[in-house]
Amino acid sequence: MATTTATPAQQPLLSQAAVVQKYRQLTQECQQLMSKVAELEQERNEHKLVEETLTPLDPDRRAYRLVGEVLVERTVKEVLPSVKENRENLEKTITTLRERLTERQRQTAEFKAEYKLQ
């Protein structure tokens, strides 16, 4: 069984309205990804600030942490590892989203060039 894959030149061209709609969809996805990255970067910076503030403190000192909508009393040695872990997870997520954003921007640029959009 032979399978054929169509090259971009062989694929049927989209109507002008479909091209514009597809381009708008791609740019909207890029904007959403950029917005999410910015939001997560701000959250990561807040975690970093808390981490820097807690690090020099006595490990047995009381610390309060907001869990959901509840303020919980803990010690610095209990709170600090979870703040570090959350920051690291945010950094991984930001990296993943940036990679996805780069790929989506590349796709958008290729689409724009293919259909000669301005």
Side-chain angles (χ1 to χ4, degrees):
M1 245 195 230
T3 59
T4 59
T5 57
T7 63
Q10 296 171 334
Q11 293 176 350
L13 295 178
L14 301 173
S15 70
Q16 186 174 359
V19 168
V20 171
Q21 182 178 356
K22 176 72 173 174
Y23 181 72
R24 284 184 181 156
Q25 177 188 359
L26 288 169
T27 56
Q28 183 179 15
E29 287 177 25
C30 288
Q31 290 172 347
Q32 289 172 343
L33 286 169
M34 285 187 278
S35 175
K36 191 64 175 176
V37 167
E39 177 186 331
L40 292 176
E41 283 177 339
Q42 183 170 348
E43 198 170 322
R44 179 203 55 204
N45 292 340
E46 290 174 5
H47 276 74
K48 188 174 181 180
L49 181 63
V50 170
E51 186 179 335
E52 290 170 355
T53 303
L54 290 178
T55 300
L57 298 178
D58 176 28
D60 293 323
R61 182 176 175 167
R62 272 189 281 179
Y64 295 92
R65 181 157 188 239
L66 194 61
V67 178
E69 294 183 14
V70 178
L71 195 59
V72 180
E73 182 180 336
R74 304 274 185 209
T75 62
V76 170
K77 67 182 173 191
E78 292 172 331
V79 171
L80 193 56
S82 62
V83 171
K84 285 181 181 180
E85 183 180 343
N86 286 347
R87 181 188 47 79
E88 291 167 359
N89 289 338
L90 284 168
E91 288 174 353
K92 289 176 188 174
T93 303
I94 289 168
T95 302
T96 303
L97 286 176
R98 280 188 179 149
E99 290 169 358
R100 194 182 316 166
L101 174 61
T102 302
E103 176 63 22
R104 189 65 69 205
Q105 287 172 331
R106 184 191 61 75
Q107 289 174 351
T108 303
E110 286 176 359
F111 189 83
K112 184 177 180 181
E114 180 181 346
Y115 289 98
K116 297 173 180 70
L117 299 174
Q118 295 199 5

